[in-house]
Amino acid sequence: MAGQVFVLQILVVLLLVVAALVALVVQSRNDADREARNRSVAVAQTFANSPGIVEALHSPDPTAILQPKAQAARVASGVDFIVVLNNDGIRYTHPNPARIGQKFIGTYEPALQGQVVTEEITGTLGPLVQAVVPVYAPDGSVAGMVSAGITLENISTASERQLPVVLGAAAGAVGLATLGTALISRRLRRQTHGLGPEEMTRMYEHHAAVLHAVREGVMIVGGDGRLLLFNDEARRLLDLPPDAEGRPVTELGLEPTPEALLTGNRPVTDEVVLAGERLLAVNVRLTDQDGGPPGCVATLRDSTELLALSGRAEGAQRRLRLLYDAGVTVGSTLDVTRTAEELAQVTVPRFADFVTVDLAEQVVAGEEPPAGDSLGRMRRAAYAGVRNDAPFYPVGTVLDVVPDTPLAGALGSGLAGLEPRLAESQAWREQDPEGAAQALAYGVHSLVRVPLRARGVLLGVVRFWRATGTEAFEPDDLTLAEELVAHAAVCIDNARRYTREHAMAVTLQHSLLPRNLPAQNALEVAHRYLPAQAGVGGDWFDVIPLPGARVALVVGDVVGHGLHAAATMGRLRTAIHNFSTLDLPPDELLGHLDDLVHRIDQDETDTGDSAALAGATCLYAIYDPVSQRCTLASAGHPPPAVVDPDGRVVFPELPTGPPLGLAVLPFETVELELAEGSRLVLYTDGLVEDRERDIDEGLELLRAALTGPPRTPEQTCADVLGRMLPAHPQDDIALLVARTQALAPEQVAEWDVASDPAAVGGIRAAVAERLTAWGLDEAAFVTELILSELVTNAIRYGSGPIRVRLLRDRALICEVSDGSSTSPHLKYAATTDEGGRGLFLVAQFADRWGTRYTATGKVIWTEQPLE
């Protein structure tokens, strides 16, 4: 655009210059003609009136006199020629002497009459103007004529002198036009951001199209409060008059609120105002930001229908959010009551003011619900409300379902029911007339009831209540309630099934664990067993009395959880009891137990059982109160802790073998000497290891818990669990604490026996004497009989050395040892047999008897009760 203006300016300047030049040329020609006439007349008259002209004309040789004068006058006057003529027109003078005497070219006749003649002719010198004047004699007659002429090209007029000025002015005008155009172009480019005419035109067309096609009202208000621009939508929304453009906003008759927003000189974002019957969302942005012009731009959007749609969208979004939160919250635990509480809590107050969850009593207990489509009795499992003074039965209340009521019908059909206006309905009151009256008086006005059904099994019912201050339930709410309850029903049924399985597993586990520890004097024992929260496991412990006043301590852990682990634990515990009757040393016993676990695992693998045993750990220890030695062997189990009487704690180094079922090498034993009053602490890994700490950290915590002054085993168990028990145990914990006791030397008697049958009598006498010292005279006869038979058999069938030992503990223990590994067998002797009846008599008179093998032979022992 600036270029076009520049071209237009150049054209105008050129036209003006051409016009000026034409005018100058015309004026110059006129001026030159007039100047030539005036000068030629003046020079001719001056020369004609000069002195001596008449005399020269009447002289014999006028040329000789006049030629020099004419030449001098011509040069002095600047004309091209001065010619003196006679009355016949013959030249007396001429700048070119060759033309003297020739006839004058031009008109001279009027000069003879006394007139001045001027004319423009083309002579030998080119276009020229010449004048002819008469020369008067003294008598007034014409004595001759003088002609002076000047060519036009030798005329320098004022017009010609003005031509450079005109051209200079034209050049200056062109320069100014160029500079102005450059400045205007620069400013236009800055204001239009470099857009060309086509782009600006297209942008203007697009803006105009958008301005009038957009479904939002657009208004531009100047800094003086006048409406500068508006589109058709703004006119429609605000009902603007036809002449609104250019008028002050305050004179347009707008509503007070829209008018205040348009004239408030402040930004506004999505402010909803009332304009007539419309709700308009108004946005105002000021235009004087960043150096812009004062004023504002306002957009108007009709949100009347959008508000209604957004209300419905918000409602749907709230429902989806409630369903999502319920999906995340309800069923976070496998507890029936807790799941019901989560359903009640997540829906109050977002969906209902009060929620009651009633379940069949069997479901609350984790049992199978009653068969059929009706529940005669339910128990309130959960309740939640916006206030605590509502007239609803508390949790734990037993509710009887009244037949032929809406509640009974919903339970029988499995269909949800809606009571939007409880005050107008009578049937629902029959379930509990008194409670219904109290609820209505309290302000409860609407109800939704949804049966709890999962996998075709009726579990209970959920009822949602709304009270004064909230809207009544609608059919859409019924659909939402069904979705919420459907999810909760599956979670409650899962929790019920888990509770049932967990109860069965716990019952099985408790039945397999020792209920009471056996009576014995070698150890003072205390124990603790804590099942994991996630389910029962395979941890176990045991205390097994052994012959010779010895006691075996066992702690083990089957890998895994659940019924399978508990059942496997029971099998292993039974096997250990059976192996203990053989009085095997710890390493041999673990070897037999490893074979058993391997066979169990192999059998379950062959049958395709997916829950095949993955192994077990075990620690087996035998304590002898006579020698105060403890023999231990471990199959992958954590080491025991030994606390001496002074409270120092050590973890003895054991040759820990692999877990049971994985052994490839024989197990090894370790013997420890334990001072009387020492505490032996056995435990499973659940005590010292969990997700938040490793076993080394756990062992250090256990050391710290055990270190200190002497404590009883019971107090030791309490202190250890109080300090180390995790908040949420992920594994079972078995803890066994045994404080050692020693058998006093006066309670032990030993004799060496020679391999001679005659030595039997001396042994009998010595035993009788010791029994008398112990005050056991009544047991002397039986004891002598037993020892006689056992010593005789050792002398006859065994090998030396032979020893006899009496132990006075809870029972009278007789032991006969020899160097042979041959074990006697009890049998019935035939009537013709001379021997074979002695061992039978031993079995009859002794309470218990048996054989145990040692590294150097065997020991045959018997026990006799002291009471």
Side-chain angles (χ1 to χ4, degrees):
M1 184 176 66
Q4 294 175 356
V5 171
F6 174 71
V7 172
L8 179 62
Q9 289 177 338
I10 294 300
L11 291 177
V12 171
V13 170
L14 290 178
L15 290 176
L16 291 176
V17 170
V18 169
L21 291 176
V22 170
L24 286 175
V25 170
V26 172
Q27 184 177 358
S28 177
R29 293 181 62 86
N30 293 334
D31 291 346
D33 183 76
R34 184 169 56 255
E35 177 68 19
R37 290 179 184 274
N38 293 335
R39 184 182 299 183
S40 61
V41 170
V43 170
Q45 287 181 345
T46 299
F47 192 82
N49 295 319
S50 63
I53 293 299
V54 175
E55 290 78 2
L57 289 173
H58 291 98
S59 67
D61 190 2
T63 299
I65 298 172
L66 294 176
Q67 178 67 14
K69 291 182 177 182
Q71 288 294 101
R74 180 183 66 81
V75 174
S77 63
V79 296
D80 291 313
F81 64 89
I82 295 177
V83 178
V84 180
L85 308 175
N86 60 17
N87 290 340
D88 294 329
I90 300 302
R91 301 184 183 106
Y92 289 141
T93 64
H94 196 277
N96 185 1
R99 300 207 179 163
I100 295 174
Q102 294 182 1
K103 186 72 174 180
F104 179 75
I105 299 173
T107 302
Y108 60 89
E109 287 80 2
L112 296 177
Q113 304 299 325
Q115 297 179 6
V116 176
V117 180
T118 59
E119 62 179 344
E120 183 177 348
I121 64 173
T122 300
T124 57
L125 298 179
L128 55 87
V129 174
Q130 63 184 5
V132 179
V133 299
V135 176
Y136 292 101
D139 57 2
S141 61
V142 176
M145 293 171 289
V146 176
S147 174
I150 185 171
T151 59
L152 294 178
E153 63 180 8
N154 292 329
I155 298 299
S156 177
T157 65
S159 298
E160 291 178 348
R161 292 190 299 272
Q162 291 176 357
L163 183 60
V165 177
V166 172
L167 294 178
V174 172
L176 289 175
T178 303
L179 178 61
T181 301
L183 294 176
I184 292 173
S185 176
R186 181 179 179 183
R187 183 171 183 179
L188 287 175
R189 288 185 179 277
R190 184 171 64 253
Q191 292 179 345
T192 60
H193 303 286
L195 298 177
E198 295 182 359
E199 289 82 359
M200 292 184 62
T201 301
R202 184 168 61 253
M203 183 176 66
Y204 173 78
E205 292 175 350
H206 291 173
H207 286 186
V210 171
L211 183 66
H212 294 287
V214 71
R215 293 304 303 271
E216 287 190 0
V218 179
M219 304 177 67
I220 300 179
V221 180
D224 56 355
R226 294 180 178 276
L227 182 60
L228 302 181
L229 178 67
F230 60 91
N231 64 353
D232 298 337
E233 186 68 9
R235 182 195 298 275
R236 182 183 71 84
L237 294 177
L238 295 179
D239 195 19
L240 298 175
D243 59 344
E245 187 171 348
R247 293 176 56 184
V249 175
T250 55
E251 298 179 4
L252 299 179
L254 303 180
E255 296 283 345
T257 305
E259 181 180 301
L261 294 179
L262 293 175
T263 58
N265 195 30
R266 63 182 180 88
V268 175
T269 301
D270 285 338
E271 185 167 335
V272 179
V273 299
L274 182 64
E277 298 181 354
R278 297 186 179 93
L279 286 174
L280 302 181
V282 181
N283 288 273
V284 178
R285 296 293 180 268
L286 303 181
T287 58
D288 58 356
Q289 305 296 325
D290 300 328
C296 65
V297 176
T299 59
L300 314 171
R301 185 174 65 255
D302 191 352
S303 61
T304 307
E305 297 180 359
L306 182 60
L307 187 62
L309 291 175
S310 63
R312 290 195 292 270
E314 290 177 1
Q317 186 176 13
R318 287 194 299 270
R319 293 167 185 257
L320 290 175
R321 173 59 64 179
L322 177 58
L323 288 174
Y324 172 78
D325 292 343
V328 173
T329 303
V330 179
S332 62
T333 64
L334 290 173
D335 182 83
V336 173
T337 302
R338 181 57 189 159
T339 303
E341 292 173 351
E342 290 170 345
L343 172 63
Q345 292 169 358
V346 78
T347 53
V348 173
R350 301 167 63 180
F351 179 68
D353 296 326
F354 305 96
V355 176
T356 58
V357 182
D358 303 320
L359 302 176
E361 290 190 292
Q362 296 88 338
V363 175
V364 177
E367 302 174 1
E368 288 290 337
D373 295 332
S374 63
L375 299 176
R377 174 166 292 184
M378 296 185 296
R379 184 179 297 274
R380 181 140 296 171
Y383 163 77
V386 294
R387 296 187 296 273
N388 297 325
D389 58 346
F392 293 101
Y393 293 116
V395 173
T397 304
V398 176
L399 307 173
D400 293 323
V401 180
V402 178
D404 300 328
T405 60
L407 177 59
L411 292 174
S413 63
L415 301 178
L418 171 63
E419 298 283 355
R421 288 173 292 277
L422 291 176
E424 301 176 6
S425 177
Q426 297 294 329
W428 74 281
R429 307 186 190 191
E430 298 177 3
Q431 171 63 34
D432 183 8
E434 182 179 355
Q438 294 176 354
L440 291 175
Y442 186 78
V444 177
H445 60 78
S446 188
L447 164 66
V448 169
R449 69 176 69 86
V450 184
L452 273 162
R453 278 185 173 273
R455 304 178 180 93
V457 178
L458 180 62
L459 306 175
V461 65
V462 181
R463 283 176 282 188
F464 304 92
W465 313 80
R466 285 184 180 175
T468 303
T470 55
E471 298 179 355
F473 285 112
E474 299 178 351
D476 290 344
D477 297 322
L478 187 64
T479 303
L480 176 59
E482 288 178 328
E483 294 181 4
L484 290 170
V485 173
H487 171 71
V490 174
C491 296
I492 289 175
D493 190 53
N494 289 338
R496 176 191 65 81
R497 291 169 178 263
Y498 170 78
T499 302
R500 181 169 177 267
E501 180 180 347
H502 183 70
M504 293 172 57
V506 170
T507 301
L508 173 62
Q509 186 184 41
H510 287 176
S511 66
L512 296 175
L513 288 172
R515 299 184 181 181
N516 297 304
L517 297 182
Q520 44 81 32
N521 292 336
L523 298 170
E524 181 185 353
V525 181
H527 64 89
R528 295 290 188 274
Y529 181 83
L530 298 176
Q533 290 186 351
V536 297
D539 292 15
W540 87 92
F541 64 92
D542 226 327
V543 178
I544 306 173
L546 298 177
R550 297 170 303 138
V551 177
L553 300 177
V554 186
V555 171
D557 182 5
V558 176
V559 176
H561 293 84
L563 288 173
H564 182 263
T568 303
M569 176 268 291
R571 298 171 71 176
L572 295 181
R573 180 169 178 259
T574 301
I576 289 177
H577 273 269
N578 293 333
F579 293 143
S580 296
T581 60
L582 301 177
D583 208 353
L584 299 174
D587 54 344
E588 293 185 22
L589 185 143
L590 291 182
H592 289 293
L593 199 62
D594 178 72
D595 292 338
L596 174 63
V597 172
H598 183 73
R599 288 196 301 271
I600 294 174
D601 191 24
Q602 187 65 39
D603 291 343
E604 292 178 346
T605 303
D606 293 341
T607 57
D609 189 353
S610 59
L613 183 63
T617 64
C618 182
L619 178 64
Y620 189 83
I622 297 177
Y623 174 69
D624 187 350
V626 178
S627 64
Q628 298 183 28
R629 288 181 173 272
C630 182
T631 306
L632 305 96
S634 174
H637 203 81
V642 178
V643 187
D644 65 16
D646 295 329
R648 293 187 295 269
V649 181
V650 296
F651 293 96
E653 294 185 3
L654 301 181
T656 303
L660 299 174
L662 304 176
V664 293
L665 296 174
F667 296 94
E668 299 181 46
T669 61
V670 168
E671 276 196 0
L672 304 176
E673 282 197 23
L674 302 179
E676 185 175 6
S678 298
R679 282 170 288 166
L680 186 63
V681 181
L682 286 72
Y683 52 89
T684 55
D685 59 356
L687 179 68
V688 296
E689 186 177 14
D690 63 10
R691 295 179 180 176
E692 297 180 358
R693 66 184 178 214
D694 57 21
I695 189 170
D696 292 334
E697 182 182 356
L699 291 177
E700 289 304 316
L701 290 175
L702 179 59
R703 183 194 301 274
L706 293 174
T707 302
R711 285 164 283 179
T712 63
E714 283 290 340
Q715 186 61 43
T716 302
C717 288
D719 292 345
V720 168
L721 292 182
R723 189 163 183 173
M724 300 188 61
L725 183 64
H728 302 285
Q730 302 297 320
D731 195 4
D732 293 4
I733 296 176
L735 176 63
L736 193 63
V737 179
R739 184 165 62 182
T740 63
Q741 300 181 17
L743 202 61
E746 60 269 15
Q747 293 178 274
V748 180
E750 294 184 283
W751 298 273
D752 291 328
V753 181
S755 298
D756 185 358
V760 176
I763 290 300
R764 290 176 62 178
V767 169
E769 182 180 356
R770 178 54 62 94
L771 292 178
T772 300
W774 285 347
L776 301 176
D777 294 330
E778 295 179 358
F781 174 76
V782 174
T783 304
E784 290 179 18
L785 178 62
I786 292 174
L787 285 176
S788 296
E789 179 62 30
L790 294 180
V791 173
T792 300
N793 284 340
I795 294 173
R796 180 179 300 177
Y797 302 110
S799 61
I802 300 172
R803 293 180 62 83
V804 174
R805 185 172 73 167
L806 288 183
L807 303 176
R808 183 185 178 186
D809 192 30
R810 302 180 68 89
L812 180 60
I813 302 171
C814 300
E815 297 181 344
V816 177
S817 63
D818 64 77
S820 172
S821 60
T822 303
S823 175
H825 297 282
L826 182 64
K827 65 178 181 178
Y828 289 97
T831 55
T832 58
D833 290 341
E834 294 183 358
R837 296 175 179 84
L839 197 57
F840 181 79
L841 293 175
V842 171
Q844 292 298 316
F845 286 110
D847 189 41
R848 297 173 60 220
W849 76 280
T851 303
R852 73 173 182 269
Y853 295 93
T854 65
T856 59
K858 67 178 181 298
V859 177
I860 300 176
W861 56 268
T862 64
E863 290 184 2
Q864 299 167 244
L866 296 180
E867 296 181 359

